[in-house]
Amino acid sequence: MPAFSRFTPLFESLPSTVPFVGPEALERRRQQTVLARIGANENGFGPAPSVLAAMAAAAEDTWKYADPENFDLKSGLAAHLGCKPENIAVGEGIDSLLGQIVRMVIEPGMGVVTSLGAYPTFNFHVVGHGGRLLTTPYLNDKEDLQGLLDLVRKENAPLVYFANPDNPMGSWWDAESVLRFARALPETTLLILDEAYCETAPQGTQPDIGSLIDQPNVMRTRTFSKAYGLAGARVGYVITSAENARGFDKIRNHFGMSRVSVAAALAALTDQVYLQQVIERIADSRERISAIGRTNGLLPLASATNFVAIDCGSDGDHARRIVDGLLEHGVFIRMPGVAPLNRCIRISAGTAEDMALLESALPQVLKTL
Amino acid sequence: MPAFSRFTPLFESLPSTVPFVGPEALERRRQQTVLARIGANENGFGPAPSVLAAMAAAAEDTWKYADPENFDLKSGLAAHLGCKPENIAVGEGIDSLLGQIVRMVIEPGMGVVTSLGAYPTFNFHVVGHGGRLLTTPYLNDKEDLQGLLDLVRKENAPLVYFANPDNPMGSWWDAESVLRFARALPETTLLILDEAYCETAPQGTQPDIGSLIDQPNVMRTRTFSKAYGLAGARVGYVITSAENARGFDKIRNHFGMSRVSVAAALAALTDQVYLQQVIERIADSRERISAIGRTNGLLPLASATNFVAIDCGSDGDHARRIVDGLLEHGVFIRMPGVAPLNRCIRISAGTAEDMALLESALPQVLKTL
C-alpha cells in the first residue's frame, strides 16, 4: 500500500525512528512481562490519594471538553510558583511543548544546540522541523554550560536546550551557574531550560522564578510526570514572559488537554505534603539503587532526579547486555544512547518490590557477562 | 514584557485569534453560570457506566505513560471497523490529528480547499502552517462536493477538507456521493474526510471502510468526543493506508495520550449497546430541539449529527443576539461564523433538563428582539 504522493520534502525526508520504545512494546516483542517498571523515570509511588479522588470526581464530567484557557490550572500554578497566570502556558506534557517551541523558532536548516546524548525527544522535534542538531559533549557527566554557550555563539544558533537536573545522567548545576549561563546567552538565542526533575533536586538548584521571568529568551519547562506521579496524565507547562506565553495560543491544540488530567494536576499541586513524602521516598530509593550498584562492583553517579545513572565500567555494548539481561528477569531499565554516557545504565526510583527484584536480578545478569 | 526577538517570520505573522471560546471562559467574562451546556456539540448523556469504571481502574496506573504504540486501542478499533491496526493512527483528538496532517502536506503559500464556514480549527492549522485557505460556499446548507472538486482542480491544491456529516450545519451526503468525490480527486490531492459525527448519521452515510482504505490520498478522521461522550478525554483516530498511518510516527507526540483516556476509549468501543442507546437519545433530543425551534417560528434544518442548526430567518447579527440572549438565561449555544450560514444558531443535543431550559428561555429571548 503506497503512501500519499505529495507530502512535503521535509516530511518525506524524516526518519521513521521513534524517540523511545515503551515497556509495553518490549513486553509484546520479547514476550516478557515487566515486573519492575523502573526504566522510563516514571514514579511508581504514584499520585496522592487526593489526586485519585479528584480524578474520579472529574471522570463524571469527561463528556465536557477541558477549559481551553486552562484558567484554574494556570492560576494554581501561578500561586504556587509566585508568578502570574499570564506567565504560564500549559500543554500535553513537556514533549508537546518542546515541539511547539521548536516550531516557533526553527526553519529548515537552522542550527539548534544541545548536549550530545541529551533528551532524544527534543532532538526528534528539531529534526522534525528541519533543524540541524549541533552538539557539545558532556563534561564529567554534566552538561557543559561553557561548551553550550561557545557553540551557540559560534553558530549564532536561535535555540539551545539545557536540562537541569539533567536526563539521562542525573547531574545538575547550581542556580547561580544556570543564571550566569542564561544571562550570557545572546538575546537572539532562546533557552529551553527543562526542569522536568526540579522537585527532586537539592535546594539551590533552580533559579528563582522571578530571576528569569523578565528575560524573553528563556522558557522553563516543567511537568507533573515525575515527582507528582502523573506521567500518564500528560500535563506539562512553560514558565516564561507573558508575551511568549501568549504566543503558544497561535499554534497549540487549544482543546488538547484531558479534563481528568487537568483536575489531577490541580489536586496534585494542592497536596504538597504528599509531594514531600514522595520526594523522600524517591531519595531513599536512589540510595537503595546506588547501594545495589556498589554491592555489584558498579559506580553509581550522584543524582538530583528520580533515577540513578550507574557507570558499569565498560562500553555501550556491555551496558546494553545488562539492560537486556535485566529485562529477561522482568526488570525494565534504560540506558543513555551515546558514548561515553552509554557506559552507564539508568534506573528509575521505585517501590521496595521493584528494588528487591533489581537486587536479585542484577548479580545474576552480571555473572553471565 | 517583550517576546523573544527571533521567532520565525511565519510564527510572528500568525494572528492571536483562537478557534473557539470555551463555555468556562464565557462564564468568567460574563459572570454568568452556564446551566445548559449545549453549544460545543459535547454529549451530555455522557459515557457508559462501564467507561467510568474503566477510567477509575486506569487511574491507579496513571503514574505510567500510556503505551506509545497504542497497541490495544488500535487493535480494538481495527476489529470494530474491519481493518488492520496498521491502518490506524491515534492522536489527542481530531484537532491534533488535523494539525499533524496539515504539517505533513502544507508548505507556506500552498492552497488548501475547504468550504466557507466549515471547521474553524482546521483553518487554524492551515494558517498556522502558512497555507492559503481557498473556500467554496455551501450549497443549500450542504458542503458543495462539485465546488470543492472544481476548486481543487483549478488550484492544484494538495489538501482538501470535507466533513460528513457536516459541522456546523448538520447536513450530509450519502456514501455513494462521497465515494464519487473521493475517487474524482487528483491523486496528488489529499482528502481529509472528517467523520467526527458518523455514529449519529443515517445508515448509508459512510462509505465502507474497505472502499477507501486502499486510496492513499484519503485520510478519514473519527473521534470519541461526540457519540461516545468523551470530549474531555481527547481521543481521535485516522483511518488510512498503512503507509500513511505509519507516517504519523515521524511527527506525532508519541507519549501524548492520556492513559486514562485510552482506557476510556477502549471501554467505550466495547460497549456498543450503550452507544446505541445514546444515539437514540440524541435522535430524540434533535427532535425536541427542532420542535422547540418550530414552536418559536424558526426553521430547524435536518441533521445527521448530535446538534441541530436552526434558521432564524435573518442575518448574523440577529442570530448573535439570540446566542447572547440565551447565555443570559444560562443556555450556552453557538452559531456558524460566516454568512449565509450565520443566519442559523446551532444547538447540541442534551438532557431533558437542558431542553427544558432551552424551551423556557428561547421565547423570552425572541420577545426582546
Side-chain angles (χ1 to χ4, degrees), chain B residues 5-267:
Chain B
S5 59
R6 201 177 170 188
F7 289 126
T8 68
L10 171 58
F11 180 76
E12 289 286 2
S13 76
L14 295 178
S16 290
T17 51
V18 303
F20 288 106
V21 178
E24 293 86 355
L26 291 175
E27 287 184 317
R28 288 189 294 269
R29 282 171 214 168
R30 311 230 181 149
Q31 305 198 295
Q32 169 67 57
T33 302
V34 168
L35 304 169
R37 187 168 160 133
I38 48 176
N41 301 342
E42 297 160 333
N43 175 353
F45 303 116
S50 62
V51 170
L52 293 176
M55 291 175 75
E60 298 280 336
D61 273 347
T62 201
W63 62 274
K64 302 175 184 173
Y65 291 106
D67 171 18
E69 299 185 357
N70 298 303
F71 181 87
D72 293 339
L73 182 55
K74 282 191 194 178
S75 302
L77 283 166
H80 177 69
L81 296 167
C83 64
K84 293 182 180 162
E86 293 84 344
N87 292 118
I88 295 169
V90 171
E92 308 90 340
I94 288 178
D95 285 359
S96 169
L97 293 162
L98 290 177
Q100 293 176 55
I101 297 168
V102 170
R103 181 176 159 194
M104 290 177 183
V105 177
I106 296 306
E107 294 178 322
M110 283 182 171
V112 176
V113 171
T114 183
S115 301
L116 182 63
Y119 193 45
T121 305
F122 175 70
N123 299 355
F124 170 81
H125 289 305
V126 170
V127 170
H129 287 275
R132 274 183 308 122
L133 284 166
L134 307 166
T135 60
T136 188
Y138 281 62
L139 197 63
N140 300 323
D141 296 323
K142 288 172 77 167
E143 294 201 53
D144 177 6
L145 288 177
Q146 189 60 48
L148 290 168
L149 184 59
D150 291 345
L151 194 53
V152 161
R153 286 178 173 151
K154 179 173 159 227
E155 301 273 356
N156 184 26
L159 186 61
V160 56
Y161 175 88
F162 166 58
N164 192 51
D166 172 72
N167 175 21
M169 301 309 282
S171 54
W172 69 103
W173 286 90
D174 61 89
E176 245 178 80
S177 303
V178 175
L179 273 180
R180 205 159 39 230
F181 171 68
R183 290 179 176 154
L185 286 168
E187 66 178 30
T188 49
T189 301
L190 182 71
L191 167 63
I192 299 177
L193 176 56
D194 188 346
E195 299 179 320
Y197 297 95
C198 66
E199 290 88 0
T200 49
Q203 282 278 347
T205 303
Q206 276 75 50
D208 292 342
I209 293 297
S211 63
L212 285 171
I213 212 154
D214 290 342
Q215 197 176 319
N217 66 331
V218 178
M219 294 191 184
R220 302 169 76 164
T221 54
R222 295 188 178 187
T223 183
F224 286 88
S225 297
K226 304 302 174 187
Y228 286 105
L230 289 170
R234 315 315 303 130
V235 184
Y237 55 102
V238 173
I239 312 164
T240 188
S241 78
E243 273 298 316
N244 282 347
R246 196 156 40 240
F248 286 85
D249 285 344
K250 295 181 173 187
I251 58 168
R252 71 189 175 96
N253 184 3
H254 287 257
F255 290 84
M257 299 300 294
S258 149
R259 193 171 181 104
V260 169
S261 296
V262 172
L266 200 47

Side-chain angles (χ1 to χ4, degrees), chain A residues 182-266:
Chain A
R183 288 176 178 157
L185 285 168
E187 67 178 28
T188 50
T189 300
L190 181 71
L191 167 62
I192 300 177
L193 175 57
D194 187 347
E195 299 179 319
Y197 297 95
C198 65
E199 291 87 0
T200 51
Q203 283 277 347
T205 304
Q206 275 74 53
D208 293 342
I209 292 298
S211 63
L212 285 171
I213 212 154
D214 289 343
Q215 197 175 320
N217 67 331
V218 178
M219 294 191 185
R220 304 170 75 163
T221 54
R222 297 189 177 185
T223 183
F224 286 88
S225 296
K226 304 302 175 186
Y228 286 106
L230 289 171
R234 316 315 302 126
V235 185
Y237 55 101
V238 172
I239 312 162
T240 188
S241 77
E243 273 297 317
N244 283 346
R246 197 156 39 239
F248 285 85
D249 285 343
K250 295 181 175 187
I251 59 169
R252 74 188 174 95
N253 184 3
H254 287 256
F255 290 84
M257 299 299 294
S258 148
R259 192 171 182 104
V260 169
S261 296
V262 172
L266 200 48

Side-chain angles (χ1 to χ4, degrees), chain A residues 162-182:
Chain A
F162 166 58
N164 192 51
D166 173 70
N167 175 21
M169 301 309 283
S171 54
W172 69 103
W173 288 90
D174 61 88
E176 248 179 78
S177 303
V178 174
L179 274 180
R180 206 159 38 230
F181 171 68

Side-chain angles (χ1 to χ4, degrees), chain B residues 310-324:
Chain B
I310 300 182
D311 183 342
C312 299
S314 180
D315 60 4
D317 287 344
H318 182 71
R320 169 59 56 200
R321 281 193 287 269
I322 297 173
V323 170
D324 289 345

